[in-house]
Amino acid sequence: MNRIISALRRFARLWVLGVHHTLASRNRRPFELGTTDVQTALNRLEHAQLPGPVFRTSDVTNHGNLGFVADPFLHVEGRTVHLFFEVFSPHRDPTAAIGHAVSDDEGKSWTHTGLALEADHHLSFPYVFTAADEIYMVPDIANSDDYRAPARLYRTTSFPLKWEPVADIITGPDKYQDTIVFQWGSRWWAITGTGSNDELSVYYSKTLTAPDWTPHPENPVVTDRPSAGRPAGRPLMREDSIVAFFQDCTAEYGDKLRAYEITSLDTLTYEDRPMYDGALLEGSSGLGWNSGRMHHLDIQSVNGKIHCAYDGDVGVGRNQISGSMWAIGVGTTDSTGSGQ
C-alpha cells in the first residue's frame, strides 16, 4: 500500500509540474504594464494576472534535483539584465545558494550562467545594489544553523560570479531575515525581519561598509504584524517617503505581498502605513504557476524603462503531494507606455 501511495504522489507531482510548465510555456513573453511611471506600475500590479515564469527549476542545469527558484533581484546595464535568485535543493547541504542568469535582450530570453555565491550555510534573498560605482549584495543567511547569523555585506570582485565579504553590518542575538539596505538622507539604513515573520528592526550607519551598524532606539520598530513583518524586495525612494514591500504571512509564510509607505525614518522615529487596502501581489488561484502564493518583488526604473521581477508558487497539490514550487517571472516595459 505504501508503494502505491508513493507512486500516486509521484504521479500527482508530475501532473502538477506538467500543468505548471505548460501554463508557463504559453506566457514566456514579458508582461506589458503600459505605464508612465513606477507609481502607475504599482497601481497596475495590484491584483494583476502576471504571466510567467521566465525562469524555473528546469532552467538550472548544474545544481542537482532542485526544489524551487525564488527571491529574484535584477541588475540592469543597458539592454543587459542580470538576474540573481535563490536556488533551493532539499538534497544538498547547505540547501540553498545564489544563482545567476543573464539576458541580452531586456528579459525576452535568459541564459543560466551558474552559481554567483555559495557558502557553507544557506543563502537566499540576494539583495543586489550599486553604490559609488561598486556592486554589493546582502544575501539572507538567517536560515543557517547559526541562530545568530549576521546580515553580511558582499562586494563583487569580478561581476557577476565572484564576491567577497566586506563587513557584518548587523550582528546580535536575532535572526536577521531578508535585509534591505538603502541610502536615505545622510545615512545608510537597513530594515530587517527579526521576529517570526511579524517583526521589523532598523539599523543605520554613516558608512555603508562599516561593521556593526547602530540599532534604532525603537527596535523592533514593528511588532506583532504578520501582515507586513518581513521585507519582500527592493525599496523605492521617493522625494519625501520610501516605498517598502513586505510579506503578508497571516495565513502562511509568503502568502501575499503588501506595499507600505515609510513616512518617517530617522535616528529616533519610524512610521509606515499601507499604500493599498489589500495585497499588491497574491496568488491567482486556479492552476497557474503563481496560483498559490506570491512573496517577492523587485521593481526598478532604469534608462526610461521599468524592470520588474517577482516569484510565485503553485496552489493545487502543494503540501499534499509536493513542497514549494516557486518560480520567477520578469517583465520590462517602456516608461512611455509601449510594452516590450
Side-chain angles (χ1 to χ4, degrees), residues 28 38 40 97 105 175-176 193 235 276 296 329 337:
R28 291 189 66 86
V38 171
T40 305
D105 53 14
K175 294 182 70 174
Y176 304 104
Y276 305 96
H296 185 95

Side-chain angles (χ1 to χ4, degrees), residues 181-199:
V181 175
F182 55 93
Q183 195 168 21
W184 180 251
S186 61
R187 292 178 172 84
W188 283 92
W189 299 86
I191 300 177
T192 186
T194 48
S196 298
N197 304 321
D198 63 352
E199 182 179 290

Side-chain angles (χ1 to χ4, degrees), residues 94-209:
T95 53
I98 303 305
H100 174 264
V102 65
S103 170
D104 293 324
D105 53 14
E106 296 185 317
K108 296 181 179 66
S109 60
W110 292 90
T111 300
H112 175 236
T113 59
L115 295 181
L117 184 64
E118 54 184 330
D120 59 358
H121 47 259
H122 183 107
L123 293 172
S124 60
F125 199 82
Y127 180 76
V128 174
F129 64 100
T130 301
D133 296 325
E134 298 275 9
I135 304 175
Y136 295 91
M137 181 193 298
V138 182
D140 184 340
I141 59 179
N143 286 318
S144 65
D145 293 333
D146 184 359
Y147 182 78
R148 299 186 180 186
R152 180 166 296 155
L153 177 71
Y154 286 81
R155 176 172 49 215
T156 186
T157 58
S158 180
F159 188 80
L161 299 181
K162 292 185 178 181
W163 302 79
E164 65 178 4
V166 176
D168 288 347
I169 60 175
I170 305 175
T171 59
D174 291 308
K175 294 182 70 174
Y176 304 104
Q177 300 172 314
D178 298 348
T179 303
I180 55 176
V181 175
F182 55 93
Q183 195 168 21
W184 180 251
S186 61
R187 292 178 172 84
W188 283 92
W189 299 86
I191 300 177
T192 186
T194 48
S196 298
N197 304 321
D198 63 352
E199 182 179 290
L200 297 172
S201 291
V202 171
Y203 293 78
Y204 61 90
S205 174
K206 283 283 190 178
T207 306
L208 170 63
T209 56

Side-chain angles (χ1 to χ4, degrees), residues 1 11 23-24 46 95 110 114-115 138 140 163 166-167 235-236 250-251 272 294 316:
M1 180 60 69
F11 173 78
L23 292 175
E46 187 182 16
T95 53
W110 292 90
L115 295 181
V138 182
D140 184 340
W163 302 79
V166 176
L236 304 173
T250 304
D272 65 19
M294 299 192 74
V316 174

